[in-house]
Amino acid sequence: MKIVYPHMGYMWICIKAMLEYLDVEVVVPPPSSKKTLLLGVKHAPEFACMPLKLNLGNFMEAAELGADTMVMAGGCGPCRFGYYAHVEHAILRDLGYQYQLVVLEPPQKHIGELLGKIKHITGHQSWRKVINGIRFGYHKAEAVDELEKTANYCRPREIKPGTTDRALQAALKEVIAADTPEKLPAARKRAFEIMRSVPVDRLRPVLRIGLVGEIYTLLEPFTNQDIERKLGGMGVEVDRSIYLSEWINEHLFLGLVKNKRSSKTAREKAVKYLGHFVGGHGLETVGNTVLYAEQGYDGVIQMLPFTCMPEIVAQSILPRVSTETGIPTMTLIVDEQSGEAGLVTRLEAFVDLLARKKQTGEVLA
Amino acid sequence: MYCYLGIDVGSVSTNLVLTGEDGTVKHSIYLRTRGKPIEVVQQGLKQLQEALPGKIKVAGVGTTGSGRHLAGVITGADIIKNEITTHAIAASNVVPGVQTILEIGGQDSKIIILRNGVVADFAMNTVCAAGTGSFLDQQASRLNIKIEEFGPLALQSTVPVRIAGRCAVFAESDMIHKQQMGYNVSDILAGLCEALVRNYLNNIGKGKEILGPVVFQGGVAANAGMKAAFEKALGMPVHVPPYYNVMGALGAAMLAREATNRKSTGFKGFGVADRDFKAGGFACDGCPNVCEVVEILESGRVIARWGDRCGRWSNLIPGEKIS
């Protein structure tokens, strides 16, 4: 059994660690690229959103590397993502790929549902080992998230452009190379030393922008056209509203790990504007925007794949949130188009607006 | 005499504006980009040089528009700013106290909200380009009307027909339907203007408070039919400034003046027009993205690179080698 799972940012690092620790053979698809998207667009229904197209491309590219079992997340709720595992499987079968399908669904009642599926993949491993494996993967996700957060802090402050990105890549390599839970703490330490070696100007004034929106678009830099790096280059410190480890803790461990940012606060904040679950991260998008406003951020950018229903609901509410809390918001919609100039113009204009607003605000204060 | 130069390289047109020290327009040039931004910028500089008396000195250059980085690298611009900022700066200088700017260009439509002379909010078309200049151009040519006649014809209409404006493709088939039903061209054109204004206000202007004075600019502002439709929909007068189609370049020139205040300019001189610029390129093989990296060469020397997603090439100082 050679397992493949689709890309979502650096998620592959964490799942690969977990599965290889449990002696499962893993095929990591090549990073999502133009070729991946091209394959996906060719075979996916036109009005499906970009995540489906990229997942499909990932699976097709992985098949060339010998993968035979696809592991996909599932879900239930108004967002059609819940179908994706089955739709993708059916498309691949029609194309002649011989894939076995395992759908991992966030447990609705008990964590045992999920453990059962994991047991199916891992075979004869003891429960103890399985749980250790999951913990190992989770710790890797945490390390990667911390590194990304550090990079977001350094990027707008770096003295020589490009040093943060190079350091991040080197630091990630350290974390990836740790193949047992015992080696991870030391690797993590080395990785942070690399990040600390980036020369930064701590006194430089920066703008702070929060990123909200659909999880895949936020986590996968290929999809969002590297928005965090682009904003960093414009002198903006970015905070992403969802990090992988937070999501895992919330949805897979049902909040087992304490002292982690939870989307519960965000959902509570959203109630004033949106009273019920709309699927996906619609509620969180609204709520996080309110939170960012309260935390004194300069602006919020919402990202969503074209045709994403939960986010469209949130999008239509954001102008009201913006007027009532005073935080400027902007929505960016992504699809297979690679029109980068348009994206850069919008980002620059938004950053300009925030900078001017901050300047005049400071003069008045 | 010291002057400031603003260059706006857009998808359809490239504009150059030369202002005096007081911000008044001394000369403006409007050219079609025709997909050759480098050539057109050079051509514009040449025309400008010929049109000017010898004793003018350019003290600052600003570029804007989607080709701003390209134009900035070629001319040695002091400031490279996007269209939103430059349009806002220009409009608030030409029409003091402006609170809303409606801007429709070749590919983009945007709304800029100003309060107390500062951009307070803006929006740009996200996924749809219905209602932009290119679409109007295309419809005019389908009806065999010169784009200059579009506005006056639309104004002749007494009963505008209702046309679906949400999507350019639907608008076109609706227009064809109305035309087969026997409506005359001026009523169809007026209906199209109203549909596009409706679409603009619903998609771009949604949730924004439109207060007067309202300025309408960009190439489409030449169309009197669109201006009339905006006035009808908003119920207030809409100003079209005299330099409505070069407002971006005008704003860039104004920003260049601000940026070069007590500093020397990076302007490479009008000689740029005769220099040999080339855009070379290659596909990077560093990863499966296979990014198309574009290199701008001045007489065989690389002066800028862009197009890579990872920054491997664009962060590179010209001359540095990658091992």
Side-chain angles (χ1 to χ4, degrees), chain A residues 246-314:
Chain A
E246 292 164 1
W247 186 87
I248 297 176
N249 182 34
E250 177 117 21
H251 293 269
L252 303 184
F253 298 171
L254 304 174
L256 223 60
V257 182
K258 298 298 170 206
N259 298 326
K260 270 259 158 202
R261 184 164 67 175
S262 143
S263 67
K264 205 173 145 223
T265 354
R267 285 200 304 270
E268 282 164 7
K269 290 285 175 193
V271 169
K272 191 178 160 201
Y273 301 96
L274 180 59
H276 55 88
F277 183 61
V278 289
H281 290 86
L283 268 176
E284 282 93 332
T285 296
V286 175
N288 278 318
T289 308
V290 180
L291 276 176
Y292 281 130
E294 288 177 356
Q295 289 161 11
Y297 272 72
D298 296 301
V300 165
I301 295 178
Q302 183 201 15
M303 305 261 339
L304 61 135
F306 193 36
T307 74
C308 174
M309 184 279 291
E311 292 300 325
I312 292 172
V313 175

Side-chain angles (χ1 to χ4, degrees), chain B residues 43-63:
Chain B
Q43 190 192 331
L45 285 172
K46 201 168 256 174
Q47 284 187 17
L48 199 62
Q49 196 184 14
E50 281 161 11
L52 292 172
K55 37 184 194 294
I56 272 184
K57 190 177 179 309
V58 175
V61 180
T63 59

Side-chain angles (χ1 to χ4, degrees), chain B residues 9-11 37 63-72:
Chain B
V9 183
S11 57
T63 59
T64 184
S66 49
R68 59 185 176 278
H69 295 292
L70 187 62

Side-chain angles (χ1 to χ4, degrees), chain A residues 51-158:
Chain A
L52 182 131
K53 294 172 185 172
L54 282 171
N55 288 350
L56 200 61
N58 285 150
F59 288 131
M60 291 168 76
E61 283 184 305
E64 288 169 27
L65 303 173
D68 58 15
T69 306
M70 53 191 272
V71 177
M72 249 309 265
C76 20
C79 166
R80 54 190 167 171
F81 177 77
Y83 308 144
Y84 277 16
H86 298 280
V87 171
E88 286 162 12
H89 189 227
I91 295 172
L92 289 168
R93 201 181 45 218
D94 288 349
L95 291 171
Y97 291 92
Q98 302 297 324
Y99 264 125
Q100 200 203 327
L101 175 70
V102 179
V103 185
L104 294 182
E105 269 163 323
Q108 291 294 306
K109 290 194 193 83
H110 195 262
I111 197 159
E113 292 173 37
L114 178 73
L115 294 178
K117 291 273 175 56
I118 291 172
K119 191 88 183 161
H120 172 78
I121 303 169
T122 53
H124 300 292
Q125 299 287 356
S126 72
W127 276 115
R128 194 186 154 80
K129 185 138 198 223
V130 170
I131 287 169
N132 278 341
I134 294 175
R135 272 181 49 190
F136 181 39
Y138 176 72
H139 287 310
K140 275 216 173 178
E142 255 187 335
V144 171
D145 287 350
E146 290 302 324
L147 287 176
E148 280 196 279
K149 282 181 193 169
T150 318
N152 280 340
Y153 173 83
C154 293
R155 225 175 262 126
R157 296 177 173 91
E158 66 187 6

Side-chain angles (χ1 to χ4, degrees), chain A residues 168-358:
Chain A
L168 178 64
Q169 289 313 317
L172 285 173
K173 269 195 193 118
E174 292 287 344
V175 173
I176 295 165
D179 52 1
T180 63
E182 293 75 39
K183 286 184 195 160
L184 188 58
R188 198 170 160 157
K189 215 174 143 209
R190 281 198 301 279
F192 278 102
E193 264 157 29
I194 294 174
M195 289 312 291
R196 260 196 293 277
S197 71
V198 176
V200 289
D201 174 4
R202 287 182 197 281
L203 299 173
R204 190 183 291 172
V206 296
L207 289 165
R208 291 196 304 160
I209 291 183
L211 286 186
V212 299
E214 192 270 331
I215 181 168
Y216 186 89
T217 325
L218 287 184
L219 293 186
E220 176 61 56
F222 177 78
T223 315
N224 62 35
Q225 305 211 5
D226 268 331
I227 189 167
E228 290 180 19
R229 269 190 49 220
K230 286 202 173 90
L231 285 171
M234 295 174 193
V236 175
E237 186 182 341
V238 181
D239 184 57
R240 201 196 293 155
S241 58
I242 309 170
Y243 280 93
L244 186 63
S245 59
E246 292 164 1
W247 186 87
I248 297 176
N249 182 34
E250 177 117 21
H251 293 269
L252 303 184
F253 298 171
L254 304 174
L256 223 60
V257 182
K258 298 298 170 206
N259 298 326
K260 270 259 158 202
R261 184 164 67 175
S262 143
S263 67
K264 205 173 145 223
T265 354
R267 285 200 304 270
E268 282 164 7
K269 290 285 175 193
V271 169
K272 191 178 160 201
Y273 301 96
L274 180 59
H276 55 88
F277 183 61
V278 289
H281 290 86
L283 268 176
E284 282 93 332
T285 296
V286 175
N288 278 318
T289 308
V290 180
L291 276 176
Y292 281 130
E294 288 177 356
Q295 289 161 11
Y297 272 72
D298 296 301
V300 165
I301 295 178
Q302 183 201 15
M303 305 261 339
L304 61 135
F306 193 36
T307 74
C308 174
M309 184 279 291
E311 292 300 325
I312 292 172
V313 175
Q315 187 196 354
S316 65
I317 295 169
L318 285 189
R320 214 187 113 205
V321 181
S322 177
T323 340
E324 289 185 14
T325 61
I327 194 164
T329 61
M330 181 171 71
T331 299
L332 294 172
I333 301 171
V334 296
D335 201 23
E336 62 171 286
Q337 50 110 340
S338 62
E340 207 185 317
L343 180 87
V344 172
T345 300
R346 284 161 180 81
L347 290 181
E348 276 181 10
F350 192 62
V351 171
D352 259 2
L353 177 159
L354 300 183
R356 288 242 169 189
K357 196 178 165 204
K358 200 166 187 176

